[in-house]
Amino acid sequence: MLGGILLGRTKHLCLVLAAGLVGLGPAIAHAGDLEDEVLAALNFARTQPADYSRELQSGHAGDPVLADNSFGGEDPGAVREAIDFLRYQAPLQPLSLDPRLDASAAAHTTAQGPTGQIGHTDPDGTSFPNRLHRYGWWIVAAEDISYGYATPRDVVRQLIVDSGVPDRGHRRAVFDPTFQYVGVSCGNHARYQYMCVIDFAAAARRPPVSRAPAL
């Protein structure tokens, strides 16, 4: 899967297998049950996209595009486009929590948070696919990362509106019908105070079989 990475609010690039990362916003100090609430918010959007579109629209007074936008400087056109997308999006099955994806997401939060770095690569140079394969093998997978946002609603809203990412890579991961499983880890971040890693995957597969060379 290809997806955008948003650095700040203006730059993006493509990463193989990774749906991208996003930031920035008001920070919070404590996680609490944030992971469970992020998963619930993701599944609400996936299973009831029309209801989510109305919730997204109700967050603005009057016209959601013409109203002053206080949510992280979102492009109003991206908000309108997200609302239209959600109106026509078919409901999907909810994502199921998988402990292996949870472990992958937690490993990245634990390793990256204290450094203040951003991105899908661990501080030791481990890529997202290699990190994921420490915990299991998957047919297809993607990763979204949000930095600095205070509530599950804001984390998921940011991924779905996907302002500043032309290919809407984060949204595509959230609404990819092939994804069945998810892992979520939220924690402290030295630069943006908070980060939330979401790893998506389709069904697991067996690891490749090592074969001895022919003699």
Side-chain angles (χ1 to χ4, degrees):
M1 167 176 285
L2 295 177
I5 286 186
L6 180 62
L7 303 177
R9 297 191 179 94
T10 57
K11 301 178 182 178
H12 73 279
L13 52 90
C14 288
L15 257 189
V16 174
L17 288 181
L21 62 91
V22 286
L24 317 166
I28 63 175
H30 304 288
D33 296 322
L34 186 60
E35 290 94 344
D36 290 342
E37 294 172 6
V38 167
L39 177 56
L42 286 169
N43 279 335
F44 170 63
R46 279 176 62 95
T47 61
Q48 303 177 67
D51 289 342
Y52 189 90
S53 73
R54 287 188 284 272
E55 180 177 297
L56 186 60
Q57 187 166 11
S58 69
H60 299 268
D63 188 304
V65 174
L66 299 179
D68 290 338
N69 193 340
S70 61
F71 185 84
E74 283 177 332
D75 173 18
V79 178
R80 176 190 283 129
E81 190 267 336
I83 292 170
D84 290 341
F85 167 87
L86 291 160
R87 285 173 176 163
Y88 295 100
Q89 169 64 37
L92 301 174
Q93 292 296 314
L95 298 163
S96 298
L97 193 65
D98 188 284
R100 296 163 295 181
L101 296 174
D102 249 7
S104 173
H108 194 53
T109 302
T110 300
Q112 188 182 82
T115 72
Q117 297 174 6
I118 59 175
H120 299 279
T121 302
D122 289 351
D124 66 0
T126 302
S127 68
F128 164 58
N130 287 337
R131 165 167 45 87
L132 192 67
H133 289 162
R134 291 174 178 170
Y135 304 97
W137 290 80
W138 306 90
I139 294 172
V140 63
E143 180 170 84
D144 284 356
I145 308 177
S146 174
Y147 295 92
Y149 282 90
T151 68
R153 178 181 180 274
D154 288 348
V155 168
V156 173
R157 174 204 170 101
Q158 187 192 27
L159 299 176
I160 291 175
V161 173
D162 222 1
S163 179
V165 181
D167 72 353
R168 307 295 192 230
H170 312 97
R171 184 196 301 164
R172 289 194 292 113
V174 173
F175 290 100
D176 190 322
T178 65
F179 291 148
Q180 300 168 273
Y181 305 103
V182 70
V184 182
S185 175
C186 302
N188 294 325
H189 189 267
R191 183 177 180 187
Y192 296 118
Q193 296 186 278
Y194 212 73
M195 64 183 292
C196 194
V197 180
I198 305 170
D199 286 353
F200 304 88
R205 64 179 175 85
R206 293 180 181 273
V209 176
S210 298
R211 300 185 184 278
L215 298 177

